[in-house]
Amino acid sequence: MSLESDTARRLREGMARGVLSFPLTSFHEDGSLDPDGFRAHVADRLATGPGALFPACGTGEFFSLDEDEYRQVVSVAVEEAGGRVPVVAGTGYGWAQAVRFARIAEEAGADALLVLPHYLIAAPQNGLVAQLEQIAARTRLPLIAYQRGQVAFTAESLRRIASLPGVIGLKDGHSDLDRLQRLTLAAPEDFLFFNGALTAEVQARAYAAVGVPAYSSAVHAFAPEIANAFFAALADGDHGTVDKLLRDFYIPFVELRDRVPGYSVSLVKAAARLRGHPVGPVRAPLTDPSAADRAELRTLLAAGLDLVGAAL
């Protein structure tokens, strides 16, 4: 069996049994990398049964890491996972820089790569396809394309990237369900799709309706009790519990998250710190939440944990 097909199989199995975990990268108060804090955070995440681990991606502040830090983060994730779940590392920028990170991830033992949207500029469909062609030609690791921001594939482009050796899936962050339905219908049967919406649980039922039940959970980074309870309720068709968690935790959390640009990462880190996880602050250009927002977050988090029989 090829590496690509084996990785796709392991991801599919993991997606069926749990949320996809995107761990936070730990920093000291002075902004330097904290590998020991990251190791502890990853170990805690793994203990709660995620379907896969995605280090150094958007939630993990990939955009803030230099190559040596990236190597340490991916290496720690691989060591802690110990083969129990697939490790999919982030990569990005232009293809030349993405390949540099890809080689580091490969050397560190990652199972696959999530190709984050390229830097700054818009590009035509041929260019979006060529970006993946260039990366795929230079790494043995399977690739998952990530469309959000300036990256949005047409059905024809999806067919083209799905035919590339090593491209095994697509993560969607646009939440355009009309477009996404067209993509799922255009893709090969074994192609993987992931719900990558911000706070993906809010749209999990809608994504599942167009054939994309798997999702990444930022909440899992700080409240796996809530994330796992939601995943189980959704899988069991327990819409009463799903509605209660959405109404009393997820929707208020999204409303708080949307107040300030970058809270999709920094609010998650603040919540993790409230749970005692050594993840530290965010790096500029992100900023940590205000004292008032942290106080509101604490109240909301306590209430959310209470819903699933857990405590802050």
Side-chain angles (χ1 to χ4, degrees):
M1 180 177 291
S2 70
L3 175 64
E4 289 81 2
S5 61
D6 182 59
T7 298
R9 176 189 58 78
R10 293 178 63 214
L11 280 168
R12 188 175 294 106
E13 291 172 354
M15 289 153 53
R17 68 172 180 264
V19 300
L20 306 176
S21 180
F22 285 64
L24 301 158
T25 298
S26 299
F27 298 119
H28 294 292
E29 289 302 318
D30 65 0
S32 60
L33 184 69
D34 178 8
D36 292 336
F38 180 67
R39 186 179 295 277
H41 176 64
V42 168
D44 285 343
R45 299 312 90 204
L46 288 167
T48 63
L53 199 67
F54 287 68
C57 294
T59 306
E61 296 178 79
F62 166 79
F63 51 85
S64 292
L65 302 176
D66 66 26
E67 292 180 12
D68 180 63
E69 292 168 335
Y70 176 85
R71 184 186 303 276
Q72 293 181 68
V73 166
V74 177
S75 296
V76 166
V78 170
E79 290 166 8
E80 289 300 314
R84 289 175 289 168
V85 297
V87 176
V88 183
T91 190
Y93 306 114
W95 68 258
Q97 188 64 35
V99 168
R100 291 176 65 93
F101 283 103
R103 288 171 178 160
I104 294 170
E106 188 172 330
E107 292 167 2
D111 296 292
L113 296 164
L114 178 65
V115 182
L116 303 170
H118 64 269
Y119 173 67
L120 190 60
I121 58 171
Q125 291 294 311
N126 284 343
L128 298 180
V129 174
Q131 165 88 337
L132 288 170
E133 288 175 336
Q134 295 289 347
I135 300 170
R138 291 167 171 81
T139 179
R140 67 181 185 89
L141 293 180
L143 306 180
I144 299 167
Y146 188 6
Q147 65 169 19
R148 76 176 314 125
Q150 69 269 36
V151 177
F153 293 101
T154 64
E156 175 56 30
S157 293
L158 189 282
R159 293 186 189 96
R160 292 172 63 189
I161 67 171
S163 71
L164 295 174
V167 177
I168 62 172
L170 176 75
K171 181 181 179 184
D172 175 73
H174 284 294
S175 302
D176 180 340
L177 297 181
D178 179 284
R179 175 189 289 267
L180 185 58
Q181 182 70 90
R182 296 167 190 263
L183 297 182
T184 61
L185 294 173
E189 184 177 350
D190 60 352
F191 199 71
L192 302 176
F193 282 92
F194 307 84
N195 168 2
L198 293 177
T199 315
E201 286 91 342
V202 174
Q203 301 187 62
R205 282 188 292 203
Y207 269 82
V210 295
V212 185
Y215 61 89
S216 56
S217 176
V219 171
H220 188 267
F222 63 86
E225 304 96 327
I226 298 174
N228 288 341
F230 184 93
F231 182 89
L234 188 65
D236 292 342
D238 181 358
H239 295 293
T241 298
V242 168
D243 287 345
K244 184 171 182 60
L245 289 170
L246 288 173
R247 182 174 53 248
D248 296 341
F249 174 74
Y250 281 99
I251 297 298
F253 178 77
V254 167
E255 291 172 350
L256 179 57
R257 181 204 72 198
D258 288 348
R259 286 182 188 171
V260 177
Y263 266 18
S264 57
V265 176
S266 59
L267 198 71
V268 172
K269 265 198 160 177
R273 292 195 299 273
L274 287 173
R275 302 297 306 281
H277 299 300
V279 297
V282 292
R283 275 183 174 173
L286 300 180
T287 59
D288 288 308
S290 67
D293 287 346
R294 291 198 304 273
E296 186 172 339
L297 175 63
R298 174 184 284 274
T299 300
L300 174 60
L301 180 54
L305 289 166
D306 185 63
L307 291 172
V308 297
L312 184 61

